[in-house]
Amino acid sequence: MSDAVIKVENLSKKYVIAHQTNGSGGRGTLRDAITDGFKSVSKRFTKKSDIDPGHEDFWALNDISFEIKQGDRVGIIGRNGAGKSTLLKILSRITEPTHGRITIEGRVASLLEVGTGFHAELTGRENIFLNGAILGMSRQEIKRKFDEIVDFSEVEKFLDTPVKRYSSGMYVRLAFAVAAHLEPEILIVDEVLAVGDIEFQDKCLGKMQEISQKHQRTVIFVSHNMAAINALCSRSILLRNGQLVADGKTGEIIPLYAQPIGKNNSDLMQRADRKGNKMVIATNVSFCNASNLAINNIHCGDDITIRIDYKNNTGDYISNIHIGIGFYDLYGRLMTMLQTEPLNSSLNAEKNGGAFLCHIPKFRLVPGKYWLNYDIYHYRYEDMCDSLQQALEFEVYEGDFFGTGKLTWYGMGGVLFEHGWKSEN
């Protein structure tokens, strides 16, 4: 027999998406609404193949299967729209699957969004007892854990205040404290922890590790923070477009998540996920050497230039252009940020376009793969012209950074610094 506490078999979830088909581009007329009402009634008596094209089937999950054992710490990762939240809602019995089945052994506590399981009109104290009752605990069991919950949440001062008056951070503090301390066999936590401050997030990660290691509880954690996933979860499941594409050790799955999908320098102009008013947009991002020639390989210690070719869509000369360039590792951690503002070096966008250049003497990142994000804005950040995440994936190779002929870098962190040593009497 399987020793799994969660067993997911051929799980699928379908939603029906409605599309406007009256061609007006607006909300439609009263006659459209009445006509659509008659159509919706007639659909009940038509075959599926006869349904109008105004509706589309969307499979949020499509035939996924996996097992989770007691005490496992499993990360569910994937980009927005991958199906992560839908999966957790099914595991939490909030929604039912369209096909397939799940088997769960044990009491489940879920923290999927701010306020999950709380009654807004009740106080924090009353919600602690309400949640405990929902989990099937006796009043005595809840009382035994009450002080621990309050201490962990740090909201004692507001314990007898209706939670509708709590800030989102206070809400999450109390909600997580309740979910983690009322002894669930399975704890499910979504991205909601991002609402809390950094100190509280670290506190929650520590608590989840304790729950799993010390008490052999099962933890399922969803986050876009790959550093948090890597720190907590020994195993991760990668979802993409509703399908399970990888399941294994977290250290092996995160690089798969980090791989840009159809996002590379050659198709920058086809990227639909860029933001901004498009007054000025980047058409190409590249690295160049000291001779301003494009290079594919970057080595530690190289003098390089980042070149952002741009197009000016206004047809007019624009001054006070500012740029921010961020380097991120595959865990999504910011390594460093290069900006024009702190240097008081605003740029100009020519009528016919051109290029913005950023020179970096002695490149300091250690060997590895990274992403480059950029922001182009006019005068102030609120006037964003063009912003794109993962605009360019690049790799840094070993180099003679210190000029000693030694290429050793392992264990030196993420950024290299020039330094010197001497001894004194």
Side-chain angles (χ1 to χ4, degrees):
M1 293 180 61
S2 171
D3 57 351
V5 294
I6 297 177
K7 190 172 183 180
V8 175
E9 302 174 87
N10 307 115
L11 191 69
S12 298
K13 178 63 179 179
K14 180 182 74 173
Y15 293 100
V16 178
I17 304 173
H19 297 292
Q20 181 176 327
T21 57
N22 57 36
S24 63
R27 294 173 179 260
T29 64
L30 176 61
R31 185 173 71 176
D32 293 329
I34 295 173
T35 302
D36 289 343
F38 281 113
K39 286 181 179 179
S40 65
V41 173
S42 67
K43 284 177 193 172
R44 301 178 188 177
F45 305 100
T46 60
K47 296 183 297 180
K48 184 174 181 180
S49 59
D50 295 330
I51 293 178
D52 69 86
H55 294 81
E56 173 190 351
D57 290 346
F58 172 73
W59 291 92
L61 294 173
N62 194 354
D63 195 29
I64 67 173
S65 301
F66 60 86
E67 294 185 0
I68 297 177
K69 296 180 181 180
Q70 182 178 346
D72 282 356
R73 300 190 307 276
V74 181
I76 308 293
I77 62 177
R79 304 186 188 281
N80 291 332
K84 305 184 300 297
S85 295
T86 300
L87 174 59
L88 296 198
K89 287 178 180 178
I90 294 175
L91 293 176
S92 302
R93 306 291 193 185
I94 293 174
T95 188
E96 292 294 321
T98 304
H99 301 300
R101 57 178 290 183
I102 59 171
T103 305
I104 299 177
E105 296 184 11
R107 190 162 51 199
V108 178
S110 303
L111 187 58
L112 305 186
E113 58 186 42
V114 176
T116 299
F118 275 16
H119 192 297
E121 299 295 335
L122 300 181
T123 66
R125 184 187 304 273
E126 291 167 334
N127 271 296
I128 292 175
F129 283 92
L130 173 63
N131 271 255
I134 290 173
L135 286 172
M137 301 182 70
S138 68
R139 190 172 183 83
Q140 288 302 316
E141 288 179 292
I142 301 170
K143 282 184 175 180
R144 181 165 51 85
K145 289 286 185 178
F146 187 84
D147 289 342
E148 290 182 48
I149 293 171
V150 175
D151 289 344
F152 189 93
S153 67
E154 301 175 6
V155 297
E156 182 177 5
K157 184 178 179 180
F158 307 97
L159 201 57
D160 293 304
T161 301
V163 296
K164 67 180 180 181
R165 298 196 177 99
Y166 284 16
S167 68
S168 58
M170 291 167 59
Y171 225 130
V172 168
R173 282 176 176 269
L174 185 58
F176 181 85
V178 170
H181 285 81
L182 290 183
E183 300 183 346
E185 278 79 28
I186 301 167
L187 176 62
I188 299 177
V189 181
D190 203 345
E191 189 69 56
V192 66
L193 289 184
V195 176
D197 54 59
I198 297 298
E199 182 180 353
F200 184 69
Q201 290 180 38
D202 291 340
K203 190 176 179 179
C204 292
L205 288 174
K207 185 62 181 177
M208 286 190 282
Q209 286 179 324
E210 177 190 334
I211 290 172
S212 174
Q213 294 175 347
K214 184 177 178 180
H215 303 291
Q216 280 297 296
R217 312 290 186 184
T218 302
V219 175
I220 300 175
F221 183 43
V222 167
S223 179
H224 288 286
N225 185 335
M226 292 300 103
I229 289 286
N230 190 56
L232 175 67
C233 305
S234 56
R235 171 188 168 195
S236 289
I237 293 172
L238 174 61
L239 299 181
R240 187 176 294 157
N241 298 324
Q243 296 182 317
L244 193 158
V245 296
D247 181 355
K249 294 180 180 179
T250 295
E252 298 172 354
I253 301 302
I254 287 179
L256 299 179
Y257 164 83
Q259 289 177 351
I261 306 172
K263 296 181 178 182
N264 55 60
N265 206 38
S266 62
D267 62 358
L268 199 62
M269 291 300 292
Q270 277 69 54
R271 291 281 294 274
D273 55 331
R274 61 205 311 162
K275 299 177 182 178
N277 58 31
K278 296 182 174 58
M279 286 174 52
V280 177
I281 62 170
T283 59
N284 190 61
V285 179
S286 58
F287 288 97
C288 300
N289 60 18
S291 302
N292 203 29
L293 298 175
I295 55 176
N296 295 320
N297 297 330
I298 303 171
H299 296 85
C300 300
D302 282 354
D303 290 345
I304 65 167
T305 297
I306 299 174
R307 179 186 176 95
I308 301 178
D309 294 286
Y310 70 87
K311 178 182 178 183
N312 184 343
N313 289 319
T314 68
D316 295 319
Y317 175 88
I318 306 175
S319 60
N320 289 317
I321 293 292
H322 285 281
I323 296 181
I325 295 174
F327 296 141
Y328 292 79
D329 68 7
L330 296 188
Y331 294 96
R333 295 175 296 200
L334 175 65
M335 305 305 292
T336 192
M337 181 71 73
L338 311 175
Q339 296 176 300
T340 54
E341 280 199 78
L343 304 180
N344 291 325
S345 56
S346 64
L347 305 172
N348 303 316
E350 302 295 334
K351 293 182 181 180
N352 298 321
F356 302 124
L357 306 177
C358 177
H359 181 64
I360 305 174
K362 207 157 189 180
F363 200 75
R364 296 178 177 273
L365 293 183
V366 301
K369 291 186 177 182
Y370 301 91
W371 289 332
L372 181 151
N373 296 0
Y374 71 78
D375 295 316
I376 302 174
Y377 53 99
H378 180 221
Y379 184 64
R380 57 182 183 176
Y381 191 77
E382 289 75 12
D383 299 321
M384 185 63 66
C385 298
D386 190 23
S387 177
L388 191 58
Q389 296 185 353
Q390 299 176 19
L392 178 65
E393 183 184 19
F394 65 96
E395 186 168 0
V396 179
Y397 298 90
E398 288 184 328
D400 188 9
F401 181 87
F402 298 107
T404 62
K406 295 183 178 180
L407 305 182
T408 303
W409 64 270
Y410 183 77
M412 301 185 74
V415 181
L416 299 169
F417 287 89
E418 290 185 281
H419 57 283
W421 295 91
K422 69 176 182 178
S423 59
E424 289 185 348
N425 294 328

